[in-house]
């Protein structure tokens, strides 16, 4: 469990999140629902121990996202950008949504999981009753190994090979063969 030494606390040497075993997250059946219950339980324990704050919750969520991204290997996948936007009318704290520049596929997928985690509470339900529920949306992102686009509630989320690189980010670039990485 979180001991305050690093944001990697709670993970063993193999990258497995040991707290998840209390909720049966290791199995495939109901994985996402159990994973979300495990994170919720972890936050509750932290609150009771007076360790919780917004930064702790962000760090724990990010650590779980790093774990989930590794469930489907992305080696050799071209760089992608992640994003979300409000697709249906209604109040939103972030009415415009957000997106990233082109990033290595694993980082873009992690960003999409972060967008999903942070925007899910205000996503609500789709006005026409269409789209994915939260568990299906997580499974969609976790299992993807390429571009994806889906609606959850009043929001649309995506991973795409379209976008631009930023000169501020230094990493080995793997542009899609049909894209130049400059928005064209």
């Amino acid at each position: 469990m979180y001991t305050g030494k690093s944001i990697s606390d709670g993970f063993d040497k193999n990258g497995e999140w040991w707290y998840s075993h209390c909720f049966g997250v290791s199995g495939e059946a109901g994985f996402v629902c159990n994973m979300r219950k495990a994170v919720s339980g972890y936050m509750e324990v932290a609150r009771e121990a007076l360790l919780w704050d917004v930064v702790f919750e962000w760090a724990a969520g990010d650590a779980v996202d790093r774990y989930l991204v590794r469930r489907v290997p992305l080696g050799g996948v071209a760089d992608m950008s992640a994003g979300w936007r409000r697709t249906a009318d209604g109040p939103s704290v972030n009415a415009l949504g957000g997106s990233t520049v082109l990033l290595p596929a694993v980082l873009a997928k992690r960003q999409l999981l972060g967008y999903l985690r942070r925007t899910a509470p205000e996503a609500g339900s789709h006005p026409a009753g269409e789209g994915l529920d939260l568990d299906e949306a997580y499974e969609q992102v976790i299992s993807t190994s390429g571009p994806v686009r889906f609606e959850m509630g009043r929001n649309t989320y995506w991973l795409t090979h379209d976008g631009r690189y930023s000169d501020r980010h230094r990493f080995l670039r793997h542009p899609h063969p049909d894209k130049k990485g400059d928005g064209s």
Side-chain angles (χ1 to χ4, degrees):
M1 190 163 325
Y2 185 78
T3 62
K5 294 179 183 171
S6 74
I7 62 172
S8 297
D9 291 339
F11 291 83
D12 65 18
K13 293 177 184 172
N14 298 324
E16 294 292 322
W17 187 38
W18 71 261
Y19 192 75
S20 68
H21 298 292
C22 300
F23 290 84
V25 171
S26 297
E28 290 300 318
F31 170 79
V32 172
C33 182
N34 287 340
M35 179 269 308
R36 290 187 16 221
K37 287 179 184 175
V39 171
S40 178
Y42 193 60
M43 291 299 116
E44 187 60 34
V45 168
R47 282 184 190 95
E48 290 176 8
L50 302 177
L51 292 174
W52 179 91
D53 67 6
V54 174
V55 174
F56 174 83
E57 189 163 345
W58 173 85
D62 189 57
V64 172
D65 292 347
R66 284 193 315 267
Y67 169 76
L68 294 174
V69 164
R70 291 192 306 258
R71 292 183 59 85
V72 174
L74 294 173
V77 176
D79 297 339
M80 294 191 284
S81 63
W84 77 277
R85 68 179 170 85
R86 178 69 78 180
T87 49
D89 295 335
S92 173
V93 175
N94 299 304
L96 298 176
S99 63
T100 67
V101 295
L102 286 170
L103 299 169
V106 69
L107 291 179
K109 188 172 173 180
R110 189 169 122 201
Q111 287 294 327
L112 185 59
L113 284 170
Y115 285 147
L116 186 59
R117 179 172 30 86
R118 290 187 302 273
T119 62
E122 68 173 39
S125 59
H126 192 280
E130 300 171 0
L132 305 176
D133 68 19
L134 185 57
D135 290 341
E136 292 170 332
Y138 268 103
E139 288 189 19
Q140 179 88 22
V141 176
I142 293 165
S143 65
T144 193
S145 61
V148 65
R149 183 180 200 86
F150 62 90
E151 288 188 14
M152 186 202 70
R154 295 182 309 242
N155 296 339
T156 299
Y157 300 86
W158 66 86
L159 278 175
T160 181
H161 293 298
D162 295 329
R164 295 182 179 274
Y165 286 104
S166 169
D167 290 334
R168 293 181 9 187
H169 296 92
R170 302 288 181 205
F171 55 85
L172 184 60
R173 296 178 176 182
H174 297 285
H176 190 274
D178 296 338
K179 310 286 180 186
K180 295 179 184 173
D182 60 1
S184 57

